[in-house]
Amino acid sequence: MKVVFGNQRDRAKMIDPALLKPIADELHATLIESNYMDSARSNAAAHLATAKSLGYDKVAPIDILDAEKEIAIPVHNGYHLKNFITGSHLANYDTLVSIVRFQGHNLQRYGGSMKNLSICLGTARGACQVHSAGEVTDYYHSSSPKETSESMADAVSAALDYKKGRWVFINIINALKPVDGCSGTADRPDLGIVASTDPIAADRAALDIVYGLTSDPELRKEWEREHSVDVLDYAERKGLGSKAYRLQRID
């Protein structure tokens, strides 16, 4: 199960480990994640300690994908990237579930399945690739918002091709306080869980639920521009899925 552990500072935005436990038990899962640039997650030992401090070790075994080394998985017909750097342990898994706490008003870019398979699946060097549109891998450099969205789509395509037909995507949309400064937002209740084998459809449905809380179409457009929903357009153009979906309710 590909998750994001976060750190103590972001604890309020992370998935409650208790929500993960039933599905992890059912799947006999391992929780997987890559190292990142902040000190709490910059190496495998620190990252594992952070995950344990947040209670994720009570859910399932934990595997830091780049604890040993990195691999560069190919990007076919990329907008900017020719490969995407992730952890070598990704090769050990044949079935993967991306599961995230969906964040519509809590990050510069919305947080969902697309981000979990790009910036958050990459190692620190892979994240630098995405943020810089392939220009650098050894320090943070931000490209234009459009180029970053295109590079995220490139990274997602690499992940999907590397484990073709072996992904499932789950967005948990539970109560989360908006912190981004967007106008017209309010604390939201628990809104449900969206699951799909299509990461674009999973994110589009979650976005429609969260951003659909406003009846003002112009305000909604403003939210979508602010949080770079255009990544779905670039991913769809690459044939990674579809923004069209049909909701089927499961009680």
Side-chain angles (χ1 to χ4, degrees):
M1 290 169 55
K2 172 62 182 73
V3 298
V4 178
F5 298 126
N7 52 49
Q8 288 289 352
R9 183 185 68 249
D10 295 329
R11 185 170 194 155
K13 295 189 290 188
M14 297 299 105
I15 299 175
D16 182 347
L19 290 177
L20 295 177
K21 181 67 172 167
I23 188 170
D25 287 347
E26 179 70 22
L27 298 176
H28 306 289
T30 297
L31 303 184
I32 63 172
E33 171 66 312
S34 297
N35 288 317
Y36 197 59
M37 289 175 274
D38 64 66
S39 59
R41 297 178 289 169
S42 61
N43 60 74
H47 203 165
L48 186 58
T50 297
K52 288 181 176 180
S53 74
L54 296 169
Y56 289 103
D57 60 320
K58 308 291 194 304
V59 174
I62 295 170
D63 184 9
I64 305 302
L65 295 177
D66 53 328
E68 295 178 305
K69 60 182 181 179
E70 298 174 323
I71 54 174
I73 58 179
V75 174
H76 302 293
N77 301 315
Y79 292 108
H80 302 284
L81 306 186
K82 293 182 172 58
N83 60 61
F84 175 50
I85 301 171
T86 186
S88 63
H89 290 187
L90 186 63
N92 299 336
Y93 300 94
D94 61 2
T95 301
L96 299 110
V97 177
S98 163
I99 183 165
V100 297
R101 187 176 188 187
F102 191 84
Q103 299 178 44
H105 288 290
N106 306 87
L107 300 165
Q108 182 178 5
R109 290 175 167 270
Y110 83 87
S113 300
M114 299 297 291
K115 188 171 183 180
N116 200 28
L117 262 68
S118 55
I119 293 168
C120 297
L121 182 63
T123 64
R125 286 172 12 101
C128 287
Q129 276 184 302
V130 174
H131 283 298
S132 69
E135 290 295 317
V136 299
T137 61
D138 53 351
Y139 64 92
Y140 180 86
H141 171 72
S142 182
S143 60
S144 71
K146 175 179 181 291
E147 289 174 326
T148 300
S149 291
E150 291 170 336
S151 299
M152 287 177 68
D154 285 345
V156 172
S157 73
L160 294 180
D161 285 343
Y162 189 62
K163 298 292 179 178
K164 204 168 190 68
R166 306 306 299 176
W167 284 96
V168 173
F169 306 94
I170 299 174
N171 289 327
I172 299 174
I173 317 171
N174 57 353
L176 197 58
K177 182 180 179 63
V179 296
D180 60 356
C182 281
S183 60
T185 61
D187 289 3
R188 68 169 190 247
D190 290 342
L191 296 173
I193 296 172
V194 172
S196 178
T197 56
D198 180 337
I200 299 176
D203 277 8
R204 183 68 266 178
L207 285 162
D208 287 346
I209 291 169
V210 173
Y211 292 169
L213 293 176
T214 178
S215 58
D216 183 341
E218 292 305 313
L219 183 57
R220 178 168 174 165
K221 288 178 183 177
E222 179 185 319
W223 291 352
E224 297 207 351
R225 283 193 301 270
E226 177 68 22
H227 294 289
S228 301
V229 174
D230 62 346
V231 66
L232 299 180
D233 297 323
Y234 301 122
E236 188 175 51
R237 289 172 197 169
K238 286 181 67 68
L240 306 185
S242 174
K243 290 181 294 182
Y245 62 87
R246 177 174 60 86
L247 282 178
Q248 181 175 340
R249 181 167 183 153
I250 300 174
D251 293 321

